[in-house]
Amino acid sequence: MKKSYLFLALLAIGCRPITTNEDTPISGSQSEEVIMEGDIKESEEETYEYRATETVSTDLINTKLEVSFDWTQARLMGKETLTAKPHFYASDSLILDAKGMEIKSVSMNGANRPFTYADDYLRIKLDKTYTRTETYTVVIDYISKPNERTTGGSAAITSDKGLYFINPTGAEGNKMPQIWTQGETEASSVWFPTIDAPNVKTKQEIYITVDNKYTTLSNGKLVSSTKNANGTRTDYWKQELPHSPYLFMMSVGEFKMVKDSYKRADGSMMEVNYYVEPEWEPYAKSIFGETPNMIAHFSKLLGVEYPWDKYSQIVVRDYVSGAMENTGAVIFGDYAYKNDRELLDANDQSTIAHELFHHWFGDLVTCESWSNLSLNESFANYSQYLWDEHKFGVDEADYQAIGEADGYYASAQQSGYHDLIWFEYPDKEAMFDGHSYNKGGRILHMLRNYIGDEAFFTALQNYLITNAYKPAEFTQLRVAFEEVCGEDLNWFFNQWYLDKGHPTLKVDYTMNDGGKTISVLVEQKQTEEFRVFKLPVDITIFDDRGATTQRVWIDETAESLDFEVVGTVKNVIFDSKAMLLAKINETKDASWYIHQYYNGPKRYLHRKQALQFGLKNKTAEADQLIIDALADPFWEIRSNAIEKVSRLSAENKTKALEIVKGMAVNDPNSTVRTSAITLLATQLSSTDASALLEERVKTDRSYTVVTTALNNLSKIDVSKAMALAKPLEAEKSSKMLSGIAALYAKNGKAENYSFYENAFKSSYLQGFDRIGALNAFTFFLSNQDVSLQQKALPIFENDAVNGGMYAKMFIPQYIQYLKNSLNTKIESYKADEDKAKNAGNANGADMARGKRIEAEALQAEYDKLLKKIESL
């Protein structure tokens, strides 16, 4: 599962409409600042019971479901035919998870069997005592009532309803009615009785009966599709290979299926299909089209062919997380909908790769317990690095990896540190955090760098083949690596998998013996909170011989490593492969960093550090570094260099600005072009800047560039910016609509209200862009009269009632912000009323009183809406 995060600025600090250097939304930090001892947050002192792996008493063999739906009541009518056997010990009973259901009957061989149903458990008395060599079949007639049970949720998966009826009556005109499921962690048992644990595996069949207009999707292959006499159709999906119940999936809606394919190594063709709403059909291959190449790359890299019979991906509305790796039928939230222009700025290939890789790590080999979740999620997280490395180059992979590491640091700072394999978690949902995902992925990268690529991927092949279609725990991963590389790796797994934290290193350099040796002084500063880590690290020394790299071991609280040098030391790079998961505070001269940019191992991190720390002194060399970095092969370095141009000497700044003018138009990366126009908006004359920004609005295909140009233009010529924005209101783009919403929040007038009304009615403004647009709308309304705020109430109410968790989280804050702004208006109206009375102006007093009463009535409406949202 790919989690979904949202970071929004508080309204109190004002609207932040368009992403520029000046107006940057809160996001994961890319800072190189070091957390030293005093900054480390200790984990909670509270301890929890040991979370044992689910005891297996029954083996599920095959689960056959026959389902139909009551859309109006949001119910599923189901018949389950379950084939099972005792795991080892003989048994005369079967216990299944079944949440919030009505169990109508249970039978075996046509005869009803006694059962009890309480506390979400279905206990069935079998017709005899069965041994482990005997199979039996039970038939369960039931009704699933997902909307009639008490549900929970977490930050990663916001609801455990299991079965979702989205806009089932069609009341929301901008949302296609649909049904979909979400099983992880243990919510599949909301829509069919099962043993809802990750260490259970079963084959699957499902017959889905729907109106003929609907398209269905489930795991496995579509075996048949039969039209019924009553205008319905029954689709039969069958998966021959066993998988865990939380991976069962079903979706229904008027989706369009866009066909693609993958050619296996044996030459056979496999279906790869994309399910989208009709208006997104033209963009489906633009969004998902790299999938066959990903399947080919990962199959070759792992030495294990994609193990399932098809691969489909579907985009649904109001999804409760980021994406989910249901076997052969992956679900994405509607953030994945992007047109060709939006895809110029951002794509979801990392999420696509993440869910695909789960089909080896998670679906083929499944963590046996949620304590071992990182066996699923760390590999899926690391697949993002592997795909970036293959498709976009190692710089992109390293850049994204820094963001992943920062995500772990932020998660741990907020929620505390814990072991990667966490047997004492407070709740299974707590496992879905920056440890299981981000930290786990970074740990795999360190292991790969330690043992080498060939051994690393051979070990993964060994792990997958040995444990195929079975659950596994982390010790089996360690053994798989040890069998390949021949080394006892307990030292590695004990500190990274069975312990918490990370190294915080202070690194200094000292020349000795008249310049014949250099000492690298390393201190582990985390030891009051965490263990002393054992770290294999590559150190590269640049002297008159060139570059010399040695691998050393850091395993003490403080140690000095001495190296012989020849001639002048020009630089030392600690961790020259840039692979450590560690906070490193390194002290060295700016000249060394400048040398590092031109002569280092060409890793992104080292060039980034050079541009960050090599400019401490205003020298000709520092100026030249900035100018040269404008032509760096990696987009983020170029963007970073643009931000440094203002510190150049006058002559060099003039030279650099000419380069940046060309980059504003011709750089292939939209982020770089955005940085360029943001700089030029402040460095050029108003006339030249206005002309450039207008030209970018009219000709650049990137919505990010366009919205940034509009934002900067509004600071120079607001009327021109507003005029240019008007025709862009018709763009069928969530990003563009969100950008215009932000522009109007700062500069709009009452006549711009219709834009917001139409945008929120459309199906294009979605996901986090919609939350941002609601934020902008709130700021816009706070500057309008009371009647317009009154008119906007249904918009907030609709999104609060029908939107997702984030809408319910933020809309009350927006309403409270508007209430606060009304207080100011009410005080002003009171003052006007008193002033008019004192002046003997009865008409003026009546007008002010009327406005005050209207504002107070609206406050009451706001209170009423807040109570309604609270009750949802």
Side-chain angles (χ1 to χ4, degrees):
M1 165 159 281
K2 187 72 183 289
K3 297 177 296 181
S4 186
Y5 295 102
L6 179 64
F7 300 91
L8 288 182
L10 294 176
L11 262 173
I13 64 174
C15 185
R16 295 185 177 273
I18 300 173
T19 302
T20 67
N21 289 341
E22 181 175 283
D23 295 313
T24 304
I26 297 173
S27 63
S29 172
Q30 297 294 320
S31 172
E32 289 298 316
E33 292 181 7
V34 179
I35 297 177
M36 301 304 284
E37 305 101 309
D39 298 317
I40 296 175
K41 175 181 177 179
E42 294 186 21
S43 300
E44 300 294 333
E45 293 295 326
E46 187 174 1
T47 58
Y48 301 92
E49 65 182 35
Y50 176 81
R51 305 291 182 171
T53 299
E54 180 85 7
T55 299
V56 179
S57 301
T58 301
D59 292 336
L60 301 184
I61 298 171
N62 190 70
T63 301
K64 184 174 79 170
L65 303 173
E66 299 168 69
V67 302
S68 59
F69 308 98
D70 182 335
W71 288 73
T72 303
Q73 296 191 74
R75 292 180 175 182
L76 175 150
M77 286 70 72
K79 177 182 177 182
E80 177 176 28
T81 304
L82 185 63
T83 303
K85 72 177 187 65
H87 178 70
F88 186 84
Y89 300 105
S91 177
D92 64 353
S93 64
L94 172 64
I95 302 175
L96 300 173
D97 298 292
K99 300 181 176 76
M101 294 182 181
E102 176 186 337
I103 306 299
K104 300 177 72 176
S105 68
V106 177
S107 63
M108 296 181 71
N109 302 313
N112 286 339
R113 297 302 307 160
F115 67 89
T116 60
Y117 180 54
D119 301 322
D120 291 338
Y121 289 104
L122 174 60
R123 292 172 169 85
I124 301 169
K125 182 71 173 178
L126 303 178
D127 58 356
K128 70 168 194 171
T129 298
Y130 288 83
T131 69
R132 66 180 180 272
T133 62
E134 297 176 294
T135 62
Y136 58 83
T137 298
V138 298
V139 178
I140 305 167
D141 191 5
Y142 66 97
I143 300 175
S144 169
K145 304 176 180 180
N147 289 6
E148 299 169 49
R149 59 180 291 267
T150 301
T151 59
S154 66
I157 308 168
T158 61
S159 170
D160 61 359
K161 189 184 290 186
L163 174 63
Y164 299 81
F165 289 78
I166 305 302
N167 191 24
T169 64
E172 298 177 70
N174 63 344
K175 192 177 294 180
M176 186 183 82
Q178 56 198 260
I179 299 170
W180 47 265
T181 60
Q182 168 58 36
E184 197 172 37
T185 46
E186 297 173 6
S188 284
S189 51
V190 172
W191 63 282
F192 64 97
T194 189
I195 302 174
D196 212 346
N199 60 335
V200 171
K201 301 268 184 172
T202 173
K203 298 178 183 179
Q204 172 189 341
E205 300 173 77
I206 183 168
Y207 293 81
I208 308 173
T209 298
V210 294
D211 287 347
N212 195 45
K213 66 180 180 179
Y214 291 126
T215 298
T216 70
L217 175 64
S218 189
N219 316 91
K221 285 189 173 182
L222 180 60
V223 176
S224 65
S225 187
T226 304
K227 289 186 177 181
N228 306 313
N230 62 356
T232 64
R233 188 187 73 253
T234 300
D235 291 345
Y236 171 38
W237 296 84
K238 183 176 184 180
Q239 181 163 294
E240 300 277 3
L241 298 169
H243 65 155
S244 295
Y246 78 87
L247 297 167
F248 278 43
M249 177 272 188
M250 170 185 65
S251 66
V252 178
E254 293 183 70
F255 295 99
K256 292 292 185 181
M257 182 181 72
V258 177
K259 294 184 177 182
D260 208 339
S261 63
Y262 162 66
K263 187 175 183 179
R264 294 183 183 272
D266 63 6
S268 62
M269 301 303 294
M270 184 186 82
E271 287 186 16
V272 177
N273 298 323
Y274 318 128
Y275 291 74
V276 295
E277 294 172 15
E279 61 210 271
W280 292 99
E281 186 177 8
Y283 306 108
K285 284 198 174 180
S286 298
I287 297 167
F288 294 113
E290 285 291 345
T291 302
N293 294 330
M294 289 183 185
I295 298 173
H297 177 60
F298 290 149
S299 294
K300 182 178 180 181
L301 198 63
L302 296 170
V304 177
E305 182 61 88
Y306 175 80
W308 307 97
D309 46 17
K310 70 128 178 3
Y311 196 74
S312 293
Q313 295 166 102
I314 187 169
V315 182
V316 303
R317 297 289 180 177
D318 296 349
Y319 190 50
V320 293
S321 191
M324 179 64 202
E325 66 271 15
N326 310 300
T327 311
V330 174
I331 285 184
F332 290 80
D334 60 9
Y335 65 86
Y337 282 140
K338 294 179 177 67
N339 63 34
D340 290 343
R341 290 184 66 178
E342 288 173 315
L343 288 167
L344 295 173
D345 296 322
N347 61 64
D348 294 296
Q349 289 189 28
S350 66
T351 305
I352 295 168
H354 181 112
E355 304 308 329
L356 172 59
F357 214 63
H358 267 309
H359 284 69
W360 288 270
F361 298 92
D363 297 7
L364 179 62
V365 182
T366 308
C367 65
E368 71 165 20
S369 68
W370 300 120
S371 296
N372 285 273
L373 178 66
S374 198
L375 289 182
N376 294 6
E377 296 301 347
S378 65
F379 282 101
N381 177 276
Y382 193 51
S383 74
Q384 300 164 211
Y385 186 97
L386 296 174
W387 178 249
D388 284 338
E389 182 181 37
H390 171 73
K391 177 68 177 178
F392 304 109
V394 70
D395 278 345
E396 182 70 30
D398 284 351
Y399 166 74
Q400 298 294 344
I402 290 174
E404 294 297 328
D406 285 344
Y408 153 65
Y409 297 137
S411 172
Q413 280 289 99
Q414 180 177 352
S415 302
Y417 294 84
H418 60 77
D419 301 349
L420 189 70
I421 305 301
W422 194 14
F423 291 108
E424 296 172 343
Y425 55 75
D427 185 273
K428 60 186 180 299
E429 304 299 329
M431 289 299 303
F432 293 80
D433 68 356
H435 290 75
S436 296
Y437 288 72
N438 310 49
K439 184 182 184 182
R442 295 295 82 219
I443 290 169
L444 291 172
H445 188 61
M446 288 190 291
L447 184 56
R448 174 188 173 188
N449 276 273
Y450 174 63
I451 68 175
D453 278 12
E454 184 177 4
F456 181 79
F457 290 109
T458 301
L460 295 189
Q461 180 189 49
N462 181 27
Y463 171 75
L464 291 170
I465 291 174
T466 302
N467 302 288
Y469 305 106
K470 295 187 291 186
E473 62 175 60
F474 82 100
T475 55
Q476 288 160 288
L477 180 67
R478 174 180 58 77
V479 169
F481 275 97
E482 290 178 344
E483 287 175 346
V484 170
C485 72
E487 178 184 347
D488 185 329
L489 291 174
N490 275 290
W491 67 268
F492 184 91
F493 280 81
N494 286 347
Q495 67 181 1
W496 289 115
Y497 282 74
L498 291 178
D499 211 338
K500 62 185 177 181
H502 56 269
T504 299
L505 307 179
K506 187 175 187 299
V507 182
D508 294 288
Y509 305 98
T510 304
M511 297 301 301
N512 303 310
D513 302 325
K516 294 181 180 179
T517 63
I518 187 169
S519 296
V520 181
L521 311 173
V522 184
E523 295 180 71
Q524 296 201 32
K525 307 294 288 187
Q526 78 287 345
T527 54
E528 290 187 8
E529 290 78 19
F530 310 133
R531 68 183 297 151
V532 173
F533 284 82
K534 182 176 182 180
L535 306 170
V537 182
D538 289 348
I539 298 177
T540 300
I541 298 173
F542 296 84
D543 58 16
D544 289 354
R545 296 169 297 181
T548 303
T549 300
Q550 295 187 46
R551 174 163 291 181
V552 300
W553 288 84
I554 310 295
D555 56 6
E556 298 178 12
T557 302
E559 52 195 301
S560 178
L561 307 165
D562 297 327
F563 302 90
E564 292 185 358
V565 297
V566 176
T568 303
V569 175
K570 301 171 180 65
N571 186 24
V572 179
I573 299 181
F574 183 85
D575 186 22
S576 51
K577 287 188 176 180
M579 60 86 187
L580 279 180
L581 178 65
K583 291 283 189 175
I584 303 174
N585 181 15
E586 193 174 12
T587 304
K588 61 185 186 182
D589 191 78
S591 64
W592 283 21
Y593 281 111
I594 292 174
H595 179 276
Q596 182 169 302
Y597 181 84
Y598 298 103
N599 303 282
K602 303 303 180 187
R603 302 298 295 229
Y604 159 72
L605 177 61
H606 300 320
R607 303 203 310 283
K608 174 180 174 161
Q609 289 175 337
L611 197 56
Q612 182 176 3
F613 302 118
L615 308 180
K616 296 176 183 177
N617 306 313
K618 288 198 171 186
T619 63
E621 292 78 11
D623 275 14
Q624 191 61 47
L625 173 58
I626 294 172
I627 292 171
D628 290 341
L630 292 173
D632 193 274
F634 186 53
W635 65 267
E636 201 277 339
I637 297 291
R638 297 196 303 277
S639 179
N640 198 351
I642 289 171
E643 296 171 8
K644 310 289 186 186
V645 164
S646 60
R647 62 179 294 149
L648 291 170
S649 64
E651 181 181 351
N652 285 325
K653 183 188 289 187
T654 300
K655 177 181 177 181
L657 287 175
E658 287 302 312
I659 297 171
V660 174
K661 285 180 186 178
M663 298 172 75
V665 176
N666 299 317
D667 196 282
N669 184 274
S670 62
T671 300
V672 176
R673 299 199 302 278
T674 298
S675 296
I677 64 171
T678 299
L679 174 72
L680 294 171
T682 61
Q683 297 295 319
L684 300 180
S685 68
S686 295
T687 300
D688 289 345
S690 179
L692 171 67
L693 295 169
E694 182 177 359
E695 185 268 339
R696 289 292 82 203
V697 171
K698 291 179 176 178
T699 63
D700 204 299
R701 286 188 52 76
S702 160
Y703 287 128
T704 299
V705 174
V706 171
T707 54
T708 302
L710 283 171
N711 180 50
N712 282 290
L713 183 58
S714 70
K715 299 171 186 177
I716 301 170
D717 187 339
V718 66
S719 60
K720 181 180 288 186
M722 296 292 283
L724 288 170
K726 187 65 178 177
L728 296 173
E729 292 180 7
E731 288 289 322
K732 297 178 179 179
S733 162
S734 186
K735 296 296 180 187
M736 191 71 249
L737 294 177
S738 180
I740 295 173
L743 178 69
Y744 290 175
K746 283 184 175 180
N747 306 293
K749 294 181 171 52
E751 58 263 29
N752 298 117
Y753 176 86
S754 61
F755 159 76
Y756 287 106
E757 193 171 48
N758 293 332
F760 288 119
K761 285 180 181 177
S762 79
S763 62
Y764 296 104
L765 188 58
Q766 59 205 15
F768 298 159
D769 290 330
R770 192 175 184 92
I771 298 296
L774 283 167
N775 185 6
F777 187 42
T778 302
F779 195 81
F780 167 83
L781 288 171
S782 69
N783 295 312
Q784 307 304 319
D785 63 33
V786 174
S787 61
L788 208 57
Q789 290 193 36
Q790 178 76 40
K791 187 178 179 182
L793 272 172
I795 293 175
F796 288 106
E797 182 173 6
N798 177 71
D799 273 61
V801 173
N802 299 307
M805 184 194 77
Y806 291 119
K808 292 176 175 62
M809 179 190 301
F810 285 102
I811 287 177
Q813 297 180 37
Y814 300 159
I815 297 300
Q816 189 60 53
Y817 183 85
L818 289 172
K819 277 190 65 182
N820 293 341
S821 73
L822 271 182
N823 286 335
T824 303
K825 285 183 168 65
I826 289 170
E827 290 302 318
S828 176
Y829 296 149
K830 284 181 179 178
D832 290 345
E833 184 180 355
D834 292 340
K835 184 177 180 181
K837 283 181 179 179
N838 293 334
N841 183 357
N843 287 337
D846 288 343
M847 288 180 62
R849 186 184 307 109
K851 290 180 179 180
R852 173 176 58 81
I853 293 171
E854 184 183 24
E856 289 171 344
L858 180 56
Q859 277 204 326
E861 289 293 316
Y862 282 148
D863 286 333
K864 184 177 177 181
L865 178 55
L866 286 171
K867 288 181 180 179
K868 182 174 183 178
I869 296 171
E870 187 178 355
S871 69
L872 294 175

